[in-house]
Amino acid sequence: MVDSKSQKLRQTALPYPYRDNGLSLQIEEYQLEDEQPVELDQEQDNLTVDLAINESDPWEHATLRGEVNLPEDVVQSVYPPDERSSPPGKLYVAVRCPETIYRDRVDVGTSETEGGLDPGVHEVEISLESNDLRGKVQLLPFLVRSFEGDSDGQFATTPNVRLASGEPWTVVVDEEEESGSRLIEGEEAEFSEHDHLPGEKRLYHLDFRKVDSPKLWINSDHSRIVDILHANGSVGAEARMRDVVLDQIQQGVWSQLVVRAISDVDDEGEPRHDWERAVLNIFARDLTDEEDVTQASIQLREELNDPEGVAVLMERLDGAIQDYIDPRDQLINLIEEGLQI
């Protein structure tokens, strides 16, 4: 039974029980390059890993190791009685960097019994590449269903639907505003005051005038929206609205970036610009049946140039971007905040 007020609100927003802080992620150590691992203070309360420790010798690759705890009472809350002895589930940690609109997920090393997930503590290892990141990165644990189930409608039965989450950890990648790298640059401006930007009604504009370095402009004519985008933290109404607005922007931005990258692929499957290569590394394999990014890129270019194939490609692209961004979770969080008002 779900007892807390927040859990009751979560069940009202969703048609099934969901444990918002049911999981516990604990990062125990980090390792930069091949150096000796550094153990973290297990008594710390701020759930932060600071990797910006030596600006004169920046790191390229970092590994974080820790554990995700799935308590027995969470299993009892989110699964129907006939599944609780061998719950069909998977654990993963979502990796999100708002500054570079980078998202990834790391599967947690889990123990399974006859297709089910054992409650308890499970080890996780998270790899980070500095070229993908800037500023701060959030690590969030999630529990999802692993296959379809049958119930009376009270519990979630759809594969991959989220059942529980936990408090996020923050990884500080760099402190300086100029450090790190972005897939694309971003800047705010009043669209009404600049001829090279579209009309003042537009929320954002992706600028390809410098094709080797596209730039995302946010329209500061809409001051209230820009204020929301500057909201800090991970909870509260403004933070939830910020995440939903960012998801909306990302959907359109990613669509343009992927199509541009595909259109620039040559006969050998190579794009013209570094940012295009990064985009294709993220999406090309998911949009095709190819495991090799180069072959996948060639196939995508052929589809884009085919009047009949482009419509099917755009449909797949929309789904792939939705899977990458996962806007459902942010919308649910916003709904929860609305229910508390």
Side-chain angles (χ1 to χ4, degrees):
M1 179 66 71
V2 181
D3 296 323
S4 72
K5 179 180 179 182
S6 63
Q7 295 297 342
K8 290 180 180 178
L9 287 169
R10 188 66 163 187
Q11 189 165 353
T12 303
L14 291 168
Y16 54 83
Y18 184 100
R19 290 293 295 271
D20 207 13
N21 287 309
L23 306 179
S24 174
L25 171 63
Q26 182 65 43
I27 303 299
E28 298 176 338
E29 67 175 29
Y30 69 84
Q31 182 177 7
L32 301 181
E33 316 301 351
D34 295 325
E35 298 177 3
Q36 287 295 317
V38 177
E39 294 187 3
L40 299 178
D41 181 4
Q42 298 303 306
E43 302 299 324
Q44 67 176 356
D45 297 324
N46 60 355
L47 304 183
T48 300
V49 181
D50 189 355
L51 300 184
I53 52 178
N54 189 351
E55 297 177 8
S56 63
D57 185 21
W59 56 272
E60 294 183 2
H61 177 82
T63 303
L64 285 73
R65 301 181 183 93
E67 298 175 336
V68 175
N69 183 27
L70 171 61
E72 177 68 36
D73 70 288
V74 172
V75 172
Q76 300 294 318
S77 297
V78 301
Y79 287 101
D82 60 342
E83 292 184 338
R84 291 171 185 168
S85 61
S86 184
K90 294 181 180 180
L91 293 168
Y92 72 88
V93 175
V95 182
R96 298 173 179 172
C97 182
E99 291 260 5
T100 59
I101 57 175
Y102 175 86
R103 294 199 178 197
D104 195 8
R105 58 184 289 174
V106 177
D107 292 332
V108 176
T110 57
S111 302
E112 296 187 0
T113 56
E114 297 182 358
L117 173 65
D118 289 339
V121 176
H122 304 272
E123 295 182 352
V124 62
E125 183 173 294
I126 302 166
S127 295
L128 301 177
E129 301 292 336
S130 61
N131 284 338
D132 297 328
L133 311 169
R134 176 187 172 97
K136 297 179 180 179
V137 176
Q138 276 199 333
L139 308 176
L140 302 95
F142 288 101
L143 166 68
V144 299
R145 279 196 67 96
S146 55
F147 57 80
E148 190 169 356
D150 297 319
S151 76
D152 58 5
Q154 178 183 353
F155 295 92
T157 58
T158 305
N160 297 316
V161 70
R162 291 176 179 174
L163 302 177
S165 58
E167 284 191 88
W169 276 69
T170 298
V171 180
V172 180
V173 175
D174 58 66
E175 298 286 0
E176 295 294 331
E177 186 175 350
E178 294 80 14
S179 61
S181 63
R182 295 173 183 245
L183 183 62
I184 59 173
E185 292 296 322
E187 188 172 333
E188 296 172 9
E190 295 178 354
F191 285 15
S192 60
E193 300 297 324
H194 297 274
D195 293 336
H196 70 277
L197 295 173
E200 61 186 71
K201 290 185 179 180
R202 297 283 186 89
L203 174 59
Y204 66 91
H205 173 65
L206 191 54
D207 187 353
F208 288 100
R209 289 178 301 163
K210 294 183 179 179
V211 292
D212 62 335
S213 180
K215 188 170 187 176
L216 176 63
W217 295 91
I218 300 295
N219 189 359
S220 57
D221 284 322
H222 307 296
S223 58
R224 189 65 186 102
I225 296 176
V226 172
D227 288 344
I228 289 295
L229 292 176
H230 289 171
N232 295 318
S234 59
V235 296
E238 289 198 346
R240 303 306 193 190
M241 285 187 283
R242 174 204 62 207
D243 292 341
V244 169
V245 174
L246 285 173
D247 282 349
Q248 180 183 354
I249 294 173
Q250 284 191 71
Q251 186 78 29
V253 169
W254 277 121
S255 296
Q256 294 184 62
L257 292 175
V258 174
V259 171
R260 281 272 184 162
I262 294 172
S263 67
D264 267 353
V265 169
D266 62 21
D267 293 338
E268 283 73 43
E270 294 295 323
R272 288 195 295 168
H273 307 293
D274 290 342
W275 69 265
E276 293 173 330
R277 188 183 309 279
V279 169
L280 292 171
N281 284 338
I282 295 172
F283 288 102
R285 285 168 293 190
D286 290 339
L287 290 169
T288 66
D289 294 328
E290 297 285 349
E291 290 299 322
D292 180 72
V293 174
T294 300
Q295 293 303 314
S297 299
I298 293 173
Q299 178 181 327
L300 291 170
R301 190 194 65 167
E302 293 173 351
E303 290 187 61
L304 188 64
N305 293 332
D306 179 2
E308 296 183 0
V310 67
V312 179
L313 171 60
M314 295 307 296
E315 181 180 354
R316 295 204 311 273
L317 177 57
D318 181 77
I321 294 173
Q322 285 195 55
D323 290 342
Y324 186 73
I325 297 174
D326 200 4
R328 174 188 57 187
D329 189 57
Q330 311 302 336
L331 284 168
I332 289 171
N333 289 335
L334 181 59
I335 289 170
E336 280 193 326
E337 292 294 339
L339 290 172
Q340 296 181 62
I341 297 176

